[in-house]
Amino acid sequence: MGIGKPVRQVLILIAGVILLLVGIALLVLPGPGLLLVLAGLLVLASEFPAVEKYVDPIRDRAMKAAEDSVSSPLRIAGSVLAGLCLLAAGVVWGLVPGLPLAGWSTGSSLILSGLILFALLIWSYKRVQARRAANAE
């Protein structure tokens, strides 16, 4: 028994808006904000075609930002350092009770952001290397 179309639309709307709002928040907080904005738009566009026109510009910006993050050894080092700082901050926030918003809920979100940063960094690096190899041929 499948769910009805109106229920499906509401669920997709909720999921898309949550991804979009979290992505917007992560534009100023540590984390992959632009990619979550893109994910939210893709989810919304799957059910609401009017949103489709916003997907390509955001996709272009997200891919450019991902490629820029690995464009030089200095940027790679800075990204790795930022990821390590996020992991360290997450552990500190999880273990030190006197900090504002202390606890593992904050700590785990910082650690998760660091891990996502590393995953995106590796993905971006492989993508840029593959593109460079294709252009060299």
Side-chain angles (χ1 to χ4, degrees), residues 32-116:
L34 208 49
L35 290 174
L36 280 179
V37 168
L38 177 61
L41 288 175
L42 287 170
V43 168
L44 290 171
S46 71
E47 194 63 36
F48 305 101
V51 178
E52 188 76 33
K53 65 183 175 185
Y54 301 107
V55 171
D56 285 336
I58 296 296
R59 178 182 288 131
D60 293 342
R61 284 186 179 177
M63 295 304 125
K64 173 123 176 61
E67 290 176 6
D68 287 348
S69 69
V70 294
S71 63
S72 73
L74 186 59
R75 285 186 182 227
I76 294 171
S79 296
V80 169
L81 183 61
L84 292 173
C85 287
L86 284 170
L87 293 176
V91 171
V92 169
W93 251 265
L95 295 175
V96 178
L99 296 172
L101 302 173
W104 283 109
S105 58
T106 303
S108 62
S109 67
L110 289 169
I111 291 169
L112 182 61
S113 291
L115 294 174
I116 290 171

Side-chain angles (χ1 to χ4, degrees), residues 15-41:
V17 168
I18 287 172
L19 283 170
L20 197 58
L21 291 175
V22 171
I24 290 169
L26 289 178
L27 289 173
V28 295
L29 299 171
L34 208 49
L35 290 174
L36 280 179
V37 168
L38 177 61
L41 288 175

Side-chain angles (χ1 to χ4, degrees), residues 106-130:
T106 303
S108 62
S109 67
L110 289 169
I111 291 169
L112 182 61
S113 291
L115 294 174
I116 290 171
L117 186 141
F118 285 131
L120 291 173
L121 189 62
I122 292 167
W123 175 80
S124 299
Y125 185 77
K126 287 182 177 182
R127 179 182 167 99
V128 167
Q129 293 303 318

